[in-house]
């Protein structure tokens, strides 16, 4: 790093980096995966129990608890020079405890794919790997370009992220932005809250609707497909199980998610034509 790098994080805090961080604790599974994908796994001094991608992190990097309940003293014992936190996945009191002890906390809150591209650029600048980060950003840009040319008519979808009670998201979220880019119209886009409870009776059902059940954060599985079909008044062939990381893990998972969702969009169109 030839000159100090300054960033303003999602919490509005301004940080100056005079040299690349050497000991990083990531309390965000998406970012642990992304950092490893950028060749920075050796900088990770700590992670959460849910930071399991790539799998080698589980053996090589100690866990400090979950995103909601990290052991702050354990984090401090690792002597990090930077901690990554997400403003929705993590809690403000834990960020405050670390900040009070003089530990820089880089907060993120991506709500669009432009935010993901910007994150790659910032990581490249801060860690002194601009070319590596630019290569990842270029892959993302190419996927976005293909996605923009892959569909004409959006497919209405419902994407629950939790059950008992059911919860989903509005348009101002990363999940909705990702779906939108691939030709899906989140039927809950216009809700006033970013994440909110909803009653299944609010869902219009019908042959045009598709339901996406992500495998996390709620562990939807194959057995939940007929349950979702009954709850939302659609046929079982209108309900699709989707790997949760592809919908909610931003950064390194964004480009693969675009490719997978584009394929799913095409499959839905072809299936509708066949019937």
């Amino acid at each position: 790093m030839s000159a100090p790098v300054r960033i303003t994080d999602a919490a509005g805090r301004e940080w100056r980096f005079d040299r690349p961080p050497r000991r990083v604790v990531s309390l965000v599974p998406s970012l642990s995966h992304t950092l490893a994908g950028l060749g920075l796994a050796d900088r990770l001094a700590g992670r959460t129990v849910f930071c399991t991608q790539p799998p080698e992190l589980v053996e090589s990097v100690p866990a400090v608890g979950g995103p909601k309940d990290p052991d702050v003293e354990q984090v401090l014992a690792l002597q990090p020079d930077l901690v990554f936190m997400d403003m929705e996945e993590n809690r403000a009191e834990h960020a405050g405890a670390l900040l009070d002890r003089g530990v820089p906390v880089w907060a993120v809150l991506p709500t669009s794919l432009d935010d993901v591209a910007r994150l790659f650029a910032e990581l490249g600048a801060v860690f002194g790997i601009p070319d590596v980060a630019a290569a990842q950003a270029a892959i993302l840009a190419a996927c976005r370009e293909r996605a923009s040319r892959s569909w004409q008519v959006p497919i209405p979808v419902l994407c629950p992220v939790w059950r008992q009670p059911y919860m989903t998201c509005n348009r101002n979220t990363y999940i909705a932005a990702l779906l939108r880019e691939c030709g899906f119209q989140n039927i809950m886009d216009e809700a006033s809250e970013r994440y909110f409870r909803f009653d299944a009776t609010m869902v219009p059902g019908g042959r045009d609707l598709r339901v996406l059940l992500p495998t996390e954060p709620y562990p939807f599985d194959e057995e939940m497909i007929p349950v979702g079909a009954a709850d939302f008044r659609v046929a079982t062939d209108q309900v699709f199980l989707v790997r949760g990381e592809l919908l909610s893990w931003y950064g390194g998972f964004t480009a693969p998610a675009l490719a997978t969702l584009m394929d799913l969009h095409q499959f839905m169109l072809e299936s509708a034509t066949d019937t």
Side-chain angles (χ1 to χ4, degrees), residues 13 15 23 25 72 75-76 79-84 94-106:
R13 293 186 290 262
W15 298 109
R23 294 184 60 79
V25 172
V72 171
V75 172
L76 291 167
Q79 299 182 306
D81 48 11
L82 179 63
V83 173
F84 279 104
H94 298 130
L98 292 167
L99 290 165
D100 288 345
R101 301 286 285 273
V103 178
V105 175
W106 182 340

Side-chain angles (χ1 to χ4, degrees), residues 169-172 188-196:
C169 57
N170 74 4
R171 68 180 298 108
N172 299 316
M188 297 294 191
D189 262 354
E190 302 310 315
S192 58
E193 296 179 83
R194 297 183 71 241
Y195 292 94
F196 57 94

Side-chain angles (χ1 to χ4, degrees), residues 22-204:
R22 300 298 303 175
R23 294 184 60 79
V24 176
V25 172
S26 171
L27 301 181
V28 189
S30 302
L31 290 180
S32 298
H33 172 262
T34 299
L35 292 169
L38 291 171
L40 298 170
D42 62 337
R43 309 289 180 94
L44 283 169
R47 62 176 178 89
T48 76
V49 294
F50 296 108
C51 297
T52 58
Q53 298 292 331
E56 49 267 30
L57 292 184
V58 177
E59 294 185 3
S60 62
V61 182
V64 296
K68 301 294 187 188
D69 58 353
D71 186 325
V72 171
E73 292 304 320
Q74 190 175 355
V75 172
L76 291 167
L78 293 170
Q79 299 182 306
D81 48 11
L82 179 63
V83 173
F84 279 104
M85 300 184 77
D86 182 285
M87 293 184 67
E88 287 181 332
E89 292 186 57
N90 307 117
R91 290 179 169 151
E93 59 262 34
H94 298 130
L98 292 167
L99 290 165
D100 288 345
R101 301 286 285 273
V103 178
V105 175
W106 182 340
V108 300
L109 185 64
T111 60
S112 70
L113 272 63
D114 286 343
D115 289 343
V116 176
R118 189 176 306 111
L119 178 62
F120 276 128
E122 290 176 340
L123 291 173
V126 168
F127 285 94
I129 52 166
D131 293 343
V132 175
Q136 291 298 309
I139 293 171
L140 173 58
C143 286
R144 295 183 70 182
E145 173 61 22
R146 287 197 298 274
S148 70
R149 293 184 278 103
S150 69
W151 61 274
Q152 287 77 45
V153 180
I155 296 174
V157 295
L158 170 71
C159 184
V161 296
W162 199 257
R163 183 173 180 268
Q164 296 179 330
Y166 275 120
M167 295 187 69
T168 188
C169 57
N170 74 4
R171 68 180 298 108
N172 299 316
T173 58
Y174 170 77
I175 293 173
L178 182 67
L179 292 172
R180 193 161 52 244
E181 198 109 359
C182 296
F184 297 101
Q185 178 189 356
N186 173 24
I187 65 169
M188 297 294 191
D189 262 354
E190 302 310 315
S192 58
E193 296 179 83
R194 297 183 71 241
Y195 292 94
F196 57 94
R197 297 181 180 187
F198 72 98
D199 190 294
T201 59
M202 298 166 55
V203 179

